Amino acid sequence: MTTGRLPVRARAAVAATRAVNALSRRLGAGSGSVAGGHVGLALDPRLLERLAAGRRVALVSGTNGKTTTTRLLAVAVGGALGRAATNATGSNMPAGHVTALAGAPPGAPAVLEVDEGYLPHLVASLAPETVVLLNLSRDQLDRTNEVRMVAGKWRAALSEAQAPSTTVVANADDPIVAWAAQRAAHPVWVGAGLPWRQDAVGCPACEGRIAFAAGATGEEGGWRCTCGFARPRLDVRLDGDCVVTADGRRLDLALALPGRFNRANAVMATAAAVTAGVDWDDALRRIADVDEVAGRFAVVEVAGCAARVMLAKNPAGWGELLDLVCPGDRAVVVGINARLADGRDPSWLWDVPFERLRGRTVVATGERCRDLSVRLRYAEVPHRTVRDQVAAVRAAWMAARGPVDFVGNYTAFTDLLARTTRTGA
Amino acid sequence: MSALTVVVVHPDLLGTYGDGGNGVVLAQRARWRGIETELVDATSDLPLPTGDLYCLGGGEDAAQTASAERLREEGTLERAVGQGAVLLAVCAGYQIVGRSFPAADGRPLSGLGLLDVTTTKGRGRRAVGEILAEPLDEGLPVLTGFENHGGLTTRGPTTAPLARVTAGVGNGDGTEGARSGRVVGTYLHGPVLARNPGFADLLISWATGRVLHALDDAEEAALRKERIAAVRAGRAGGTVRYAPGPS
Ligand SMILES: [Zn+2]
C-alpha cells in the first residue's frame, strides 16, 4: 500500500486513477496515461500536490526535446536516487502527471515533462527541487502561444521570490530561456547550443537586437544585446561529442541516440542530475544505452519495410532532424498532418529548409501531403505524393530497395507508429 | 543587375508564419520563366535595399512595432513604392502599411500610410482559421489561405478591398485585404502565394511589365482543390470568429 499517508479523499482519487487507467489499457482505448488522471483530479483537485509531497521533484520544459530529456534525466538519477516516477509517454499536462505519480512508490523521485504553458502552475504548486529549461521557439502558432509571453510567465514563476529553493538548469545559448531564468535563486547555466535563432534575435530585455557570435555555443560563442543583456557565464557546456564540466573536465558523450540535438538533451539532463547529487560519470554511463524514446529513433517494420522513425514538430526540430538525415543516402518519407495537436496551420513548412533534400528519393505523405508537395516543388525537390503513410513508406522502400528514414510531425508520427508491425533492433 | 529583385522585408521580425515563402514563390516563378531574379532577405539590422517587389510578413506585437519604426525612420520603402515598386503586405505587415495599427496594449501607432486603412483591436477572440475570398478584380480565381490575427481593419472611402470573404473573417466587415495601385495588403498568411499562384503571377507581371506564360501548377491545383473543398464542407477546423464591430 503506497497511499497510507494521504487523506481519505486523495486515497479514493488515487484508486480511481489507477482503476480507470487499467480499464482504459484493457479496452485498448488509450495508453492508460491520462484518462485516470482526469478522474483522479475531478475527485480531488489537489491530488497532484498531495502525490508530490515528500518527493524530490524535477520538471523539464521547453519547445523541443522535452520527452527525450525527461527520459534521460529519469535514467540518470535512477541509480543514485532510485527508480524515478515519470510520464514516459509525453502526457505532459496535470492528468498525465497524476497518472505518473499514482503508480509510483512513496518517496520515489519524480521527473516530469511539463507543457510550456503549465510550467508556472506546476512550479507554484509542487515547489520542485529542479527545473530544466531547454529552449523556446515557434510551435503550433495558431494557439497564439507567443514565445515571449510564455517566457515572461516562466520568468515570473521562477523568480527568487516565487521559487526560492528551486535550481533552474537553463540553456544559456537561448536568450529567451536565459531571460526566463535570469531571476532564479539558483541558476545553472548550460551551453547546449541553439541552431534555430529566428525566434531569439529580438532582445527580451529591451526589444533591441541580440547579436550572436559565430558558433555561439561553448566558450568561443555567446550572444549580447546593446542593453547589456548577454549570455551568462557558463557552468557546463556541450563541445562536439564532449561535455565540459565546471571544473574543466572533458567527458565523452557516448550516446546510442543520434544527432546534435540529442547530445544537447543529454547535457541538459546530466547537468540536472549532477545538481541533484548524481556523479557525472555515473549519470553519463547510465544514459549511454538509451536508444529510443517513446518510439523515436526506433527501427520499425512498416508493411514489411524497415524504417527508422523520427518526430519533428516545428522548424527548430526539423532543422536538427535534417542535419541528421541529410548526410545519409536513404530514401526519405516526410509525413505532415495538421490536426489540433499539430497546429491547424502548416505555414511553418516554409520555415524548414527542405531544399537540403535535393538529390534524395523523397515521398510526401500524411493528411497535408498536398501542402508539403507544393513546398517541395518550390524547393526543387522531385518527389512522389502518397497520402497513406504506410503506402508511402512502402513506395520509398521499393524505390530505394533499402531502409528508409521517416520523419513526421506529431500525429503523423504517432499514426505511423500505431500501424507498425514489429519493432526491430 | 537582375531583371527582378524581390526583397523580403525584415524576415527576422516579420517571418512568424512562414512568410518568407512568399519571396521564394515569387523568385522561383519568375526564374522558371527565364527572368533573372535576385531574392534578398533584408534583415532589420541593415538598411533596406532597393528592389522591384517587396514582401512584408506577420509577426508578434513587439516585432511588428520595431519593424514599423525602422521602416518609418528609413523611408526607403515609401520611396520605392513612390517610384513604382510592387508591395505585398501580409498580416502584421498589412497593418504596418496602413495609417495606424494597435500596439500590444491597444494604443494606436502610426503606420507607413501606404494604404488608406486603419486597424484596431478586435473584440473577443482572434480570427484563426482557413479563409476563402473572391477577388474583386484582375480575374483571379478564389483566394485560399489561413488567417491568424486579432485586428479589425477599416478602409478609407477611396481604397478598394482585395476580395469579398466567403469563409473566415478577413478585415472584419465581410471584405478581405486592400489594394491601392501596386500596394496590396491581405490577412491571408501562410504564405498566401503558395496557395494562389495566379496572385503571385499578377505581382510578377506588375513588377516586370511582362506577359507571363502559364506554368504547370499541378501541385498547387491539387492543394487548392483540397483546401477549398475542406472549407466548403466545414472540415477545415480551427475557425474562430469574433463578433465584428460596427464599421
Ligand atoms: Zn537588450
Side-chain angles (χ1 to χ4, degrees):
Chain A
M1 193 63 210
T2 66
T3 55
R5 67 199 161 74
L6 293 173
V8 175
R9 181 192 179 89
R11 263 185 277 166
V14 168
T17 300
R18 289 183 186 162
V20 171
N21 281 341
L23 183 66
S24 143
R25 273 193 300 271
R26 214 158 46 237
L27 295 176
S31 59
S33 61
V34 289
H38 283 298
V39 172
L41 283 168
L43 290 172
D44 181 359
R46 291 186 48 79
L47 184 58
L48 184 56
E49 290 91 315
R50 294 193 217 281
L51 285 170
R55 297 180 196 274
R56 302 178 66 174
V57 175
L59 307 179
V60 178
S61 199
T63 305
N64 286 317
K66 290 188 286 290
T67 304
T68 300
T69 305
T70 299
R71 171 79 185 285
L72 294 176
L73 179 53
V75 169
V77 301
L81 309 185
R83 191 184 165 83
T86 185
N87 47 341
T89 57
S91 307
N92 60 18
M93 295 191 230
H97 302 141
V98 163
T99 293
L101 296 184
V111 178
L112 300 176
E113 171 186 338
V114 183
D115 176 86
E116 300 90 288
Y118 277 93
L119 183 68
H121 168 70
L122 255 67
V123 169
S125 57
L126 302 187
E129 175 182 323
T130 312
V131 172
V132 181
L133 305 180
L134 299 169
N135 48 64
L136 269 180
S137 69
R138 61 189 66 179
D139 187 41
Q140 302 168 0
L141 280 159
D142 60 325
R143 294 176 174 186
T144 70
N145 265 337
E146 292 189 348
V147 167
R148 276 163 185 73
M149 203 166 69
V150 173
K153 290 178 180 168
W154 282 10
R155 181 176 166 93
L158 291 168
S159 69
E160 185 161 8
Q162 295 300 313
S165 60
T166 298
T167 297
V168 179
V169 179
N171 180 4
D173 284 328
D174 185 338
I176 309 294
V177 164
W179 187 67
Q182 194 185 23
R183 296 273 165 80
H186 313 286
V188 172
W189 299 111
V190 183
L194 188 77
W196 172 267
R197 292 175 189 157
Q198 258 164 274
D199 295 303
V201 288
C203 175
C206 77
E207 298 184 359
R209 192 185 168 85
I210 301 267
F212 285 88
T217 170
E219 250 162 14
E220 81 283 4
W223 49 262
R224 165 172 295 280
C225 177
T226 49
C227 74
F229 181 52
R231 189 181 69 179
R233 200 187 155 84
L234 298 181
D235 297 302
V236 180
R237 68 188 167 93
L238 175 65
D239 183 6
D241 293 334
C242 290
V243 47
V244 182
T245 66
D247 53 7
R249 286 203 295 158
R250 292 180 68 86
L251 305 170
D252 283 337
L253 272 176
L255 297 179
L257 289 174
R260 190 216 72 86
F261 53 101
N262 278 326
R263 292 197 290 277
N265 294 334
V267 167
M268 296 298 295
T270 45
V274 168
T275 66
V278 179
D279 172 69
W280 270 111
D281 300 295
D282 186 34
L284 289 171
R285 193 169 49 246
R286 292 183 61 86
I287 66 170
D289 297 332
V290 175
D291 60 359
E292 58 97 17
V293 176
R296 297 155 209 206
F297 315 108
V299 176
V300 300
E301 203 173 290
V302 181
C305 310
R308 179 170 63 159
V309 291
M310 290 164 283
L311 169 66
K313 296 182 285 192
N314 45 48
W318 279 93
E320 299 251 25
L321 267 183
L322 289 174
D323 282 345
L324 176 66
V325 164
C326 286
D329 56 4
R330 293 180 177 187
V332 181
V333 180
V334 180
I336 301 296
N337 286 354
R339 297 186 202 161
L340 191 61
D342 305 304
R344 296 279 193 192
D345 175 14
S347 296
W348 56 267
L349 289 173
W350 292 84
D351 286 330
V352 179
F354 285 112
E355 286 79 1
R356 296 173 58 190
L357 290 173
R358 279 177 200 161
R360 302 289 286 277
T361 298
V362 176
V363 179
T365 186
E367 291 160 3
R368 299 304 289 270
C369 59
R370 300 287 180 201
D371 296 77
L372 176 62
S373 173
V374 169
R375 173 70 189 96
L376 293 173
R377 162 169 155 83
Y378 284 95
E380 298 185 321
V381 175
H383 61 279
R384 286 186 58 193
T385 304
V386 180
R387 191 177 170 87
D388 179 81
Q389 297 201 119
V390 170
V393 170
R394 189 147 183 84
W397 196 90
M398 298 290 277
R401 286 282 157 200
V404 306
D405 276 341
F406 171 91
V407 190
N409 68 339
Y410 187 66
T411 69
F413 171 83
T414 51
D415 269 16
L416 184 77
L417 213 57
R419 295 174 69 190
T420 57
T421 46
R422 182 175 66 80
T423 303
Chain B
M1 198 177 151
S2 297
L4 175 67
T5 300
V6 177
V7 179
V8 176
V9 180
H10 298 173
D12 50 332
L13 296 173
L14 302 176
T16 304
Y17 301 109
D19 307 275
N22 285 326
V24 173
V25 170
L26 289 166
Q28 292 289 60
R29 296 187 71 81
R31 287 172 187 149
W32 291 338
R33 269 105 167 194
I35 301 171
E36 199 192 324
T37 302
E38 192 185 359
L39 176 61
V40 183
D41 277 338
T43 52
S44 63
D45 56 333
L46 297 170
L48 192 68
T50 54
D52 307 300
L53 208 172
Y54 290 85
C55 300
L56 265 75
E60 298 180 5
D61 290 333
Q64 180 185 22
T65 306
S67 177
E69 276 173 11
R70 177 116 181 98
L71 291 172
R72 222 179 24 242
E73 280 166 18
E74 229 176 35
T76 308
L77 189 59
E78 292 100 311
R79 276 195 300 279
V81 166
Q83 289 160 13
V86 177
L87 171 59
L88 171 69
V90 172
C91 202
Y94 171 33
Q95 298 178 354
I96 285 175
V97 302
R99 293 200 179 285
S100 84
F101 66 93
D105 58 10
R107 172 174 58 91
L109 299 172
S110 312
L112 303 182
L114 295 171
L115 282 175
D116 183 12
V117 300
T118 302
T119 302
T120 54
K121 259 195 184 329
R123 294 175 301 155
R125 303 183 64 178
R126 288 171 75 87
V128 182
E130 294 275 342
I131 175 168
L132 289 180
E134 286 293 343
L136 297 182
D137 56 10
E138 305 288 356
L140 290 177
V142 62
L143 297 173
T144 159
F146 200 95
E147 62 181 330
N148 183 345
H149 60 97
L152 283 169
T153 300
T154 51
R155 282 167 287 106
T158 59
T159 299
L162 177 65
R164 190 181 68 254
V165 173
T166 55
V169 176
N171 291 330
D173 63 354
T175 67
E176 161 35 46
R179 174 177 165 197
S180 173
R182 293 172 155 209
V183 180
V184 182
T186 178
Y187 275 120
L188 276 67
H189 74 225
V192 54
L193 300 182
R195 284 208 199 176
N196 301 282
F199 188 14
D201 287 351
L202 179 66
L203 300 176
I204 296 168
S205 63
W206 286 354
T208 61
R210 298 195 198 191
V211 177
L212 304 174
H213 65 80
L215 297 172
D216 174 6
D217 291 330
E219 285 93 344
E220 290 89 336
L223 173 60
R224 288 175 59 79
K225 194 173 157 202
E226 179 196 276
R227 298 324 304 156
I228 292 167
V231 175
R232 291 196 172 140
R235 283 185 280 107
T239 300
V240 177
R241 291 157 194 254
Y242 51 74
S247 62

